[in-house]
């Protein structure tokens, strides 16, 4: 992270960084949340050609590291099991999401990603 960006971010009352690796920004943070690397997550994403691509977790994240959505789920104070379908419903209240049916059929169903 460029030094001028860090100076700007340090003006915030609290700086929370979620990352896989320690770096300049994480060293300046008040709180660092250990995120999971791409090889420690599973799911699907839409690439720049609008094709859905699956990815499977190769290894478990170390220590208390976790994937982005699960970290946000816990930060929201949720104790129940992570539910991706619920996240999608709540997101659709705020932004317009394409129907799951429009996603390439090669992707896993959104419900099959719940773990």
């Amino acid at each position: 992270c460029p030094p001028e960006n860090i100076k700007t971010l340090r003006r915030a009352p609290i700086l929370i960084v979620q990352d896989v690796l320690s770096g300049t920004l994480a060293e300046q943070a008040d709180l660092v949340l250990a995120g999971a690397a791409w090889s420690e997550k599973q799911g699907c994403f839409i690439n720049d050609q609008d094709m859905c691509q699956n990815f499977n977790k190769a290894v478990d994240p170390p220590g208390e590291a976790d994937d982005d959505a699960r970290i946000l789920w816990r930060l929201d104070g949720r104790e129940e099991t992570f539910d991706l379908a619920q996240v999608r419903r709540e997101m659709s209240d705020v932004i317009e999401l394409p129907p799951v049916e429009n996603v390439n059929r090669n992707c896993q169903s959104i419900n099959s990603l719940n773990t």
Side-chain angles (χ1 to χ4, degrees), residues 5-100:
N5 291 359
I6 292 175
K7 286 180 185 175
T8 301
L9 290 169
R10 283 305 311 153
R11 286 188 244 154
I14 185 169
L15 177 58
I16 301 172
V17 174
Q18 179 181 340
D19 207 340
V20 177
L21 302 172
S22 182
T24 308
L25 186 57
E27 291 168 2
Q28 297 295 315
D30 297 296
L31 176 64
V32 178
L33 303 173
W38 65 270
S39 59
E40 300 162 346
K41 303 178 192 182
Q42 82 172 43
C44 63
F45 65 92
I46 307 298
N47 69 18
D48 63 340
Q49 296 176 8
D50 289 331
M51 296 195 56
C52 184
Q53 293 183 305
N54 291 325
F55 57 96
N56 293 312
K57 179 168 68 168
V59 295
D60 288 327
E64 294 185 32
D66 210 345
D67 68 59
D68 308 340
R70 284 182 174 81
I71 289 173
L72 294 173
W73 188 261
R74 287 195 310 271
L75 284 174
D76 192 39
R78 300 182 189 220
E79 300 290 328
E80 67 270 19
T81 301
F82 178 74
D83 183 348
L84 188 55
Q86 177 64 26
V87 171
R88 186 173 177 82
R89 283 190 295 276
E90 291 176 20
M91 286 175 61
S92 69
D93 290 343
V94 179
I95 61 172
E96 186 175 339
L97 296 173
V100 174

